[in-house]
Structures are given as C-alpha cells and as structure tokens.
Amino acid sequence: MLRLFGPIYNEANKTIASIPYVTKSGFEVSPILSAEQVAKQITDDLKLALSLLGNTDPIRTSGVRNGNNPSGPNDLYYRQYRLNYYATKALLARAYLWQGDKPNALIQAEELLNEVQVQKNVFPYVTAGAATSATLPDRVFSTEVMFSIYDINRVEMFRRQFDVNLDNNNKLSFSNNDVNESRVNALYDDANDYRRRIWQNTSSGTITALTNLKYMDVTNAPGRYMVPLIRLSEVLHIAAECHPDLATGISYLNKVRTSRNSLSLNPTSAATLQTAIMNEFRKETIGEGQQFFFYKRTAQQTIPNHASVTGTKAMVLTNYVVPLPESEISQRN
C-alpha cells in the first residue's frame, strides 16, 4: 500500500502524508502517517516477524515442504504459499531498498543468499529440463519462488488478460495483436534465454498473435496454481544494486543471467549496471505486478511505449502516486 499510494521515497518526499498504519483493533480512525513513519512501522514489524520465525519456521530445517503432511495437518507445510522466514527476510531487504537504505538492504540480501544458496539449497534455480519442457514447462520458475499466492483459478486470469482470443484493447501483450516480436527481441538480448519462452505465437484458428504464456494452464505442470509475490532473483538483484563494489554487483547480476542460460554482461559503470538490473528485473517479474514499483522507486521518466511495439514514452513522476480513495479521505474530514 505504501508503494502504491505513497510518494516516490526520497529525502524530500518521505515526510509527505501517505497512508494509515493500523497497529490495534478497534473503531478509531487511524491517522495518515508520513511515508517515513509507515516505512519504519513496516521494517519494525518485519524484524519482529523474523525474530518470531527464526527458530520455529520448518523451512530452515526441512525446506519448502511442498507436499502433504503424512501424519497431520498441513499448517506448517507448503511453505512457499505462506509468509515464511526467508520470504520475510526478502521483504525486509525490499523495504530497506524502497527507503534508499542500501547498506541495510544489502545486509539482509546477503545474509539470505548465504543461507539459501551457500549453506543450503532451499530455492534451487529452475532446471533446463523444467524451463524448456514441451509438455510440462515450469514457466514461473516455481522452485525459486519464496512466497506466492495459491490460486486454483489462475487460468481465469490468463483468459481475461493474455488469451490470444482477446481483442487488442483488452490483452496484455508485446504485439499489436499480431506476430510482431520486435519488443521481445529488444528485451531478451540472448535468444537462448529461458525467460523468452513465455512469448510464443499462438493461434485460435482466426487470430494468430504473440502471446504471453506464463500463466497458461498446463495440467500437472510445476507451479500450476502459483502467482509469485517475491522470488530469489529479486534478492540477487537487490544485492547487485546495493553492493558498493561494481565487480561484486555485476557478479550478482550474472548469477541470474547464467541461471537463465544467458551470456554474462560486463557493465562498465554503476549507471549501466543499474540499467542492466532494470532490464533483468523486467524479464523476471513480467506479469507479476512488480515492474511499476521498480520504475517508481527509481523515478524512471522514460518507460516502454504501451501503444507501440517499439520505442518509449515520457512518464510524469506525479503519475506514479495513486490518489487515496475518497472513502479513506472522507473519514478524516
């Protein structure tokens, strides 16, 4: 809610009144707090959650447990579909980065990566076989997802937003309801990139168009009902963006790229590294509702043009801030 309704977070804007933050039950109308006050509440709550989960969340000893409990209820199973210890730590890194606190964001990201990648292998990279399977593709790279929604009706989202039969005004696509792959080719700089495979030309019999198949329903495919909320690659991108050493930042970036069967990059400056991170983040989270917040956090004034298969358009910074609902404002008049 803060990322949506709050300002672009910086020293000049952090004192702007943003949203309420409810800390107790009752009938009182909670005051609207500044972005800085809300951010502190968020980080404090996440740190408290980590202290409570630290020695009790079985994900740290038994992994994601994505199977039924053989001897009882599933409350502590299916940890990728519950806000577990690792997901909470990832969210804390995200929250610090939103505030521009790169040192603390890096601490959380590197501690997390050390535990899940070095000490253990809790969220393994998607395998080539799973990513490229012709029959049971893992298009959401489910093994890497730290926290997600379980939506048995996910196919309805696909039909409403991505299906080839939708007209151009109602479809989320990179083309003009045709087979133009210009934008796909511009984004995916390596044709062997596993992530590129979500874009395929499909046909309904009357329409043939480039279609995003990330959420297409495939019976028995991995992550069939999964809608990712935070994933391993975002933590690697946080580490890449926040590390003060350019070479180390690049190494984090390339961990994501090489796991996607893409060639490594060698940005020559912090600015070019940041651009590379933005492009990689876009590939990772497309269809997951995160790119808007990346653009907002980094105050991007030039974004891809939605009305064309090529080019960019200007973004007015004030348009990143969604107005509070009238029902929220009227409670305080």
Side-chain angles (χ1 to χ4, degrees):
M1 292 297 101
L2 176 64
R3 293 194 297 171
L4 190 63
F5 294 105
I8 296 174
Y9 198 102
N10 55 37
E11 283 300 310
N13 292 341
K14 68 183 184 181
T15 57
I16 294 175
S18 300
I19 60 171
Y21 195 95
V22 180
T23 58
K24 60 182 180 180
S25 60
F27 297 101
E28 300 88 355
V29 176
S30 299
I32 294 180
L33 304 179
S34 70
E36 183 178 31
Q37 290 173 309
V38 174
K40 185 178 186 306
Q41 294 271 22
I42 291 168
T43 52
D44 285 350
D45 276 353
L46 288 171
K47 286 186 286 187
L48 176 60
L50 286 174
S51 70
L52 295 172
L53 286 165
N55 296 317
T56 59
D57 192 337
I59 198 169
R60 301 186 78 185
T61 54
S62 305
V64 296
R65 286 184 164 187
N66 278 342
N68 287 329
N69 183 356
S71 58
N74 289 326
D75 299 40
L76 295 177
Y77 281 68
Y78 296 98
R79 303 308 295 160
Q80 285 176 293
Y81 297 101
R82 306 179 192 278
L83 189 54
N84 58 72
Y85 175 85
Y86 296 131
T88 303
K89 201 165 183 67
L91 284 173
L92 182 56
R94 179 193 281 177
Y96 277 131
L97 184 59
W98 184 260
Q99 298 168 67
D101 186 348
K102 289 187 176 182
N104 274 318
L106 180 62
I107 288 170
Q108 296 301 320
E110 290 197 314
E111 286 180 353
L112 176 53
L113 293 170
N114 182 61
E115 183 165 338
V116 302
Q117 288 198 309
V118 179
Q119 299 175 22
K120 307 167 187 176
N121 188 25
V122 185
F123 301 104
Y125 294 121
V126 66
T127 64
T132 62
S133 173
T135 55
L136 297 174
D138 186 355
R139 294 192 175 111
V140 298
F141 301 171
S142 62
T143 57
E144 304 176 29
V145 175
M146 294 184 165
F147 178 45
S148 64
I149 295 170
Y150 183 87
D151 184 3
I152 199 170
N153 295 313
R154 193 186 73 173
V155 64
E156 295 304 320
M157 176 176 66
F158 175 79
R159 290 171 180 160
R160 291 193 306 269
Q161 298 180 321
F162 302 101
D163 194 281
V164 68
N165 292 296
L166 295 168
D167 66 64
N168 203 33
N169 293 326
N170 293 310
K171 183 189 301 182
L172 296 178
S173 179
F174 271 7
S175 73
N176 286 328
N177 220 24
D178 56 27
V179 297
N180 192 315
E181 296 187 16
S182 299
R183 178 156 282 162
V184 170
N185 293 332
L187 178 61
Y188 300 88
D189 54 278
D190 191 323
N192 296 313
D193 192 325
Y194 297 150
R195 296 167 296 189
R196 194 186 190 284
R197 299 174 68 88
I198 65 171
W199 296 103
Q200 296 181 28
N201 285 312
T202 59
S203 179
S204 66
T206 56
I207 299 172
T208 300
L210 185 68
T211 306
N212 187 318
L213 302 180
K214 190 170 192 175
Y215 295 125
M216 187 177 78
D217 191 47
V218 179
T219 303
N220 296 325
R224 181 184 182 188
Y225 300 129
M226 178 179 280
V227 181
L229 295 177
I230 195 161
R231 51 171 68 248
L232 175 68
S233 58
E234 181 176 345
V235 182
L236 287 161
H237 287 146
I238 290 172
E241 181 175 344
C242 295
H243 206 287
D245 178 64
L246 179 62
T248 305
I250 292 171
S251 72
Y252 280 123
L253 170 77
N254 285 328
K255 283 184 178 182
V256 179
R257 283 185 62 89
T258 55
S259 72
R260 305 313 185 222
N261 199 35
S262 292
L263 295 173
S264 294
L265 297 179
N266 188 31
T268 56
S269 67
T272 53
L273 172 59
Q274 181 68 12
T275 299
I277 292 169
M278 180 170 65
N279 291 335
E280 293 303 306
F281 188 80
R282 188 172 167 214
K283 297 172 202 174
E284 285 294 303
T285 63
I286 197 161
E288 297 176 14
Q290 297 296 336
Q291 189 64 40
F292 173 84
F293 298 121
F294 190 105
Y295 289 153
K296 180 174 180 175
R297 178 176 63 81
T298 56
Q300 296 295 318
Q301 293 181 272
T302 303
I303 61 175
N305 186 357
H306 74 285
S308 172
V309 294
T310 59
T312 59
K313 64 183 297 183
M315 178 64 170
V316 179
L317 293 181
T318 53
N319 287 347
Y320 283 118
V321 182
V322 177
L324 285 174
E326 177 60 31
S327 59
E328 194 70 46
I329 297 170
S330 64
Q331 293 293 317
R332 294 167 176 81
N333 290 336

